[in-house]
Amino acid sequence: MALPINIEDLLNRRKIESNRIEFKKGWNPTDIYRSIGAFANDFDNLGGGYILIGVEEKNGVAQRPVMGVNPEAVDCIMKQMVGFNNLIEPYYMPRTSVEEIDGKTILVIWIPAGVNRPYAVPNDVLAKVKKPVYCVRDGSSSIVAKGEVLDELRDMANRVPFDERPNSNIKLTDISMALLRDYLAKVDSRLEKVLFTQPLEQTLEQMDLMDGPSENRMVKNVAAMMFCEHPERIFRYTQVDIVIFPEGRISDPNNFSETTIYGSVPQLIQGSLTYLKNNIIREYVKKQKNVPESIRFFNYPIQALEEAIVNALYHRDYQQFEPVEISVEPDGIHILSIPGPDRSISQAVIDKGERMISRRYRNRRLGDFLKELDLTEGRSTGIPTIQEELKKNGSPRATVETNGERSFINVFIPVHKGCGKRVVLNAPVNAPVKSTANATVNATANATVNATANLNKTQKSIIGMIAENNRVTYNEMIEKIGVDRSNIYRAIKTLKEKSILERIGEDKNGYWKLNI
């Protein structure tokens, strides 16, 4: 089975935390199965782990070239694993992949976090009398859980993160092959090469994105979050609303413009950042007296905004039908998401606006995908990264706000003090909109005029086809325009972001609407 991540990233411990990877010189089933049990139990909600057999390590670093294992022994190891897997209670089957590295063969065991935890494994799988124990990770080691740790591990049986749950409402047709291929290409997974030569179900199984009994396999929620063009149809209000108040929400509440970003979680992140880059973020240069060097700064450092947006979409509750809202005002940007921080994080820590550590992740697998795309580092580094980027830019510190019920979290990123007292848009716009009911409509119209000024050939062709037939299909666009599906998807995504095009209703019964 091909891994959903590049083997070099595992060997170099890139994108995956070091305490989620174990290097083993050889096959030691007793020690390895304790680690398999610990990774499957995923006590810290990190997303399971990986064991690489045939790799020596020194001070936690893989030694290259790798030692490897005898290719003839690999088949014997995998046959033994079938029997050892049956000793795990409840039954659990880790994934395996044979990899060729440095001219040698190694065996990779991938242990995703289990949905039926806690899992008990024999203390010694080779012993005649097998004593079941529950193991957890303690740093880079696997230990037997006891006392309060064991009690908490057992309590976690009823707390399967939402994104790991199977969902009967998600259909295979909801999964975009273009988004899936794009992801596999970015992480350099071997699965990309076989994506279009094997059934989609097989690829999703290999990525641990399906669950349920054999007669009724269902797609997990995280697959729709990552690889569905319209996850808002499955999890309502999976969107980002960006609202700009040039004079401030309180000073002039009727003067605003609003844009809504749709798409998968990575598309929501990139779409929001692109919009802010194009319309809000700008660099300032100020000369100093008697000093040749000028002072350069941004009104907002893009890295701080990216971290805040990623955190909002990573930690939001997709069972609550509320969008992530980004409000741009003269004094700063508010990034609001629902609900707030876990109650295990004290109010004092929140008020301090620094590292907030919680083991109770709502969407642990989503975090794994975002890490592999280099969109987040995980490990509770979000707020510290925001503060560090603001400090480097010379901006005031960000603040974090919530309420006693923890029903929301609002991260406020202040504008650099060297900027004015009004939101200045980068793109040329007409006079500020000052109306009530028509504020959003007029703002969208102004944005559309600017957006249509520079369309490429594919985008113009799509507009022409929709103008003739607003129920034209993707396949018809591909056939007539003569480009592949990914180009069509990108062009339509851009047209939507520019508010030129929107989709009304479901795929089969819906239609396209042009806003020009």
Side-chain angles (χ1 to χ4, degrees):
M1 184 200 82
L3 294 170
I5 187 172
N6 182 263
I7 185 64
E8 288 291 343
D9 287 338
L10 288 177
L11 287 167
N12 295 301
R13 292 186 167 180
R14 295 190 298 256
K15 303 180 183 178
I16 301 294
E17 297 93 333
S18 60
N19 59 347
R20 295 180 55 204
I21 303 173
E22 280 195 5
F23 300 125
K24 297 293 184 183
K25 179 179 178 180
W27 172 239
N28 180 353
T30 295
D31 185 38
I32 286 172
Y33 265 83
R34 288 198 197 104
S35 292
I36 288 175
F39 283 131
N41 282 328
D42 196 25
F43 185 68
D44 289 323
N45 278 324
L46 296 175
Y50 299 83
I51 301 173
L52 283 69
I53 301 173
V55 181
E56 286 189 288
E57 61 93 11
K58 185 176 182 179
N59 298 324
V61 178
Q63 298 301 291
R64 306 293 292 268
V66 300
M67 173 177 283
V69 294
N70 187 335
E72 296 178 359
V74 171
D75 189 52
C76 180
I77 291 172
M78 295 178 71
K79 286 179 180 178
Q80 287 184 4
M81 287 185 67
V82 173
F84 294 145
N85 293 342
N86 284 305
L87 300 177
I88 302 175
E89 301 176 2
Y91 176 76
Y92 178 89
M93 185 180 71
R95 275 75 169 164
T96 57
S97 178
V98 179
E99 303 285 337
E100 297 297 324
I101 299 294
D102 301 337
K104 301 290 182 65
T105 298
I106 68 170
L107 177 63
V108 180
I109 304 175
W110 175 31
I111 310 102
V115 296
N116 296 315
R117 61 185 177 181
Y119 296 91
V121 298
N123 191 44
D124 183 349
V125 293
L126 298 177
K128 290 184 178 180
V129 179
K130 296 176 173 58
K131 178 185 176 182
V133 294
Y134 296 94
C135 295
V136 296
R137 296 291 287 178
D138 181 14
S140 58
S141 302
S142 297
I143 62 171
V144 176
K146 299 178 181 178
E148 292 182 358
V149 172
L150 180 56
D151 292 339
E152 186 174 350
L153 177 61
R154 285 171 171 156
D155 183 57
M156 295 172 79
N158 298 320
R159 296 205 307 266
V160 177
F162 176 73
D163 64 339
E164 284 273 53
R165 300 175 195 169
N167 189 334
S168 61
N169 293 322
I170 303 174
K171 309 303 179 187
L172 288 174
T173 52
D174 292 323
I175 304 301
S176 165
M177 297 293 283
L179 291 180
L180 188 54
R181 181 182 184 181
D182 183 59
Y183 168 79
L184 294 172
K186 285 180 178 176
V187 302
D188 197 19
S189 170
R190 288 193 292 130
L191 282 174
E192 183 202 1
K193 296 179 181 178
V194 297
L195 179 60
F196 293 102
T197 61
Q198 66 181 20
L200 175 58
E201 299 98 313
Q202 186 174 341
T203 301
L204 296 180
E205 289 281 6
Q206 291 174 304
M207 297 179 69
D208 189 36
L209 292 175
M210 299 194 76
D211 197 14
S214 57
E215 70 275 10
N216 184 30
R217 300 294 284 172
M218 291 176 283
V219 180
K220 291 183 178 181
N221 285 323
V222 69
M225 295 175 185
M226 284 294 303
F227 308 120
C228 180
E229 292 275 5
H230 297 286
E232 73 277 2
R233 297 175 183 172
I234 301 166
F235 321 112
R236 291 172 55 195
Y237 290 96
T238 299
Q239 64 192 58
V240 176
D241 292 343
I242 303 177
V243 188
I244 300 174
F245 294 91
E247 306 291 344
R249 188 191 298 265
I250 296 177
S251 301
D252 195 352
N254 294 327
N255 179 15
F256 70 93
S257 62
E258 182 175 5
T259 298
T260 299
I261 310 294
Y262 296 99
S264 66
V265 171
Q267 287 176 318
L268 291 174
I269 294 169
Q270 297 298 344
S272 300
L273 287 172
T274 298
Y275 182 90
L276 293 173
K277 283 180 183 178
N278 291 343
N279 295 282
I280 301 299
I281 297 175
R282 57 170 55 194
E283 185 179 21
Y284 289 77
V285 180
K286 289 195 174 182
K287 294 183 178 180
Q288 304 180 79
K289 290 184 178 180
N290 304 320
V291 179
E293 294 84 8
S294 298
I295 298 175
R296 292 177 174 271
F297 59 87
F298 290 88
N299 51 354
Y300 303 100
I302 187 62
Q303 296 87 348
L305 289 174
E306 179 179 8
E307 198 70 34
I309 293 169
V310 169
N311 280 353
L313 289 161
Y314 175 10
H315 297 297
R316 67 157 284 184
D317 186 348
Y318 288 85
Q319 297 178 93
Q320 295 193 36
F321 303 144
E322 295 288 345
V324 170
E325 182 180 293
I326 301 174
S327 301
V328 184
E329 300 190 52
D331 61 340
I333 295 178
H334 296 265
I335 300 175
L336 176 73
S337 62
I338 307 295
D342 188 84
R343 289 185 179 277
S344 62
I345 302 173
S346 70
Q347 186 62 47
V349 170
I350 295 172
D351 292 340
K352 198 173 181 180
E354 294 185 355
R355 192 178 183 195
M356 296 189 292
I357 302 175
S358 173
R359 283 212 303 264
R360 301 184 181 93
Y361 289 89
R362 296 187 184 97
N363 305 298
R364 66 181 176 194
R365 188 71 190 283
L366 178 62
D368 280 349
F369 281 115
L370 297 179
K371 282 180 235 176
E372 288 163 12
L373 290 173
D374 292 326
L375 291 173
T376 182
E377 293 182 8
R379 303 182 67 83
S380 305
T381 59
I383 299 299
T385 299
I386 293 171
Q387 303 292 23
E388 180 62 24
E389 293 298 332
L390 288 170
K391 181 180 179 180
K392 288 193 296 186
N393 192 58
S395 301
R397 285 174 59 83
T399 57
V400 182
E401 178 189 4
T402 187
N403 58 7
E405 294 75 29
R406 303 291 173 91
S407 61
F408 72 91
I409 181 170
N410 179 50
V411 177
F412 175 66
I413 299 180
V415 71
H416 192 285
K417 292 182 178 179
C419 305
K421 296 184 178 181
R422 188 180 187 281
V423 177
V424 179
L425 300 181
N426 294 333
V429 295
N430 295 336
V433 178
K434 289 215 175 190
S435 63
T436 53
N438 292 326
T440 301
V441 175
N442 291 341
T444 301
N446 291 337
T448 299
V449 171
N450 297 321
T452 55
N454 188 25
L455 297 180
N456 63 32
K457 183 178 179 181
T458 301
Q459 293 160 355
K460 291 178 181 178
S461 298
I462 290 173
I463 290 175
M465 292 186 69
I466 291 174
E468 296 178 2
N469 175 16
N470 65 357
R471 296 184 184 274
V472 62
T473 66
Y474 283 106
N475 288 336
E476 290 170 340
M477 293 180 190
I478 293 168
E479 183 177 353
K480 186 170 182 179
I481 298 174
V483 298
D484 61 26
R485 187 175 296 271
S486 61
N487 279 324
I488 294 293
Y489 282 155
R490 283 196 296 269
I492 288 178
K493 179 176 178 290
T494 300
L495 293 173
K496 288 180 178 179
E497 290 175 351
K498 292 177 177 290
S499 301
I500 296 173
L501 179 65
E502 61 182 298
R503 181 72 181 179
I504 308 297
E506 298 295 332
D507 280 344
K508 292 183 179 179
N509 300 316
Y511 60 92
W512 300 104
K513 179 183 177 184
L514 290 174
N515 296 318
I516 53 177

